Every structure is written in C-alpha cells, then in structure tokens.
Amino acid sequence: MNLTAIAIIAIIAWAVVSIVETTKDKKKKQQESKNSGELQNQIAQLKERIEVLEKIVTDENYDLKKQFSNLDKDKVA
C-alpha cells in the first residue's frame, strides 16, 4: 500500500466520523428543544395553579371558614 492510498483512506474515515458526529449533534439539539418546550409548558401550568391557589387563600370567605373550623376543633378538645 502506498502513501496516497493511506491518505485517501484517512480522509474518507475522517469524513464518515464527521458526518456521524453532525447527525448526533442534530438529534441532540432536537431533543433539547423538545425538552425545553415541555418544561416551558409545565412552568406555565404551574403558574396557573399558583394563581388559583393565591385567589383561594386570599379570599375572605376562605379565612372565615378556616376560623370556624378552628373554633370547631377547640370545642371538641
């Protein structure tokens, strides 16, 4: 085998490795993008739930019901 053949084989091997790595990088970026979208969706849902909980807790009727519940517990004890 001469030096030219070795050089050609090395170039072809380098090209194949580069193509494989590029394909892996693209798949990894797609997966990260998908995960990022899912996380943003979950964050939006959690924000909505927190808003609902804040409305419930800051409602005057909720506090009143809680006070009545505490009074009932004191009567039993």
Side-chain angles (χ1 to χ4, degrees):
M1 231 168 152
N2 61 17
L3 193 57
T4 306
I6 294 173
I8 292 172
I9 291 173
I11 292 171
I12 292 172
W14 172 79
V16 170
V17 169
S18 296
I19 291 170
V20 170
E21 286 179 354
T22 303
T23 305
K24 286 181 181 179
D25 288 343
K26 285 182 182 178
K27 287 181 182 179
K28 184 178 179 181
K29 286 181 182 179
Q30 288 174 346
Q31 184 65 30
E32 288 174 354
S33 174
K34 180 181 175 184
N35 289 343
S36 175
E38 290 175 1
L39 289 175
Q40 290 176 350
N41 187 25
Q42 287 179 350
I43 289 171
Q45 290 175 347
L46 289 172
K47 284 182 179 180
E48 290 176 21
R49 292 176 69 185
I50 289 172
E51 288 176 8
V52 170
L53 291 172
E54 286 175 343
K55 287 178 185 176
I56 291 171
V57 171
T58 57
D59 186 26
E60 292 177 11
N61 290 331
Y62 175 80
D63 187 46
L64 188 59
K65 289 177 185 177
K66 187 174 178 183
Q67 290 175 5
F68 281 133
S69 175
N70 289 339
L71 288 174
D72 286 339
K73 289 179 184 177
D74 288 341
K75 284 183 182 179
V76 175

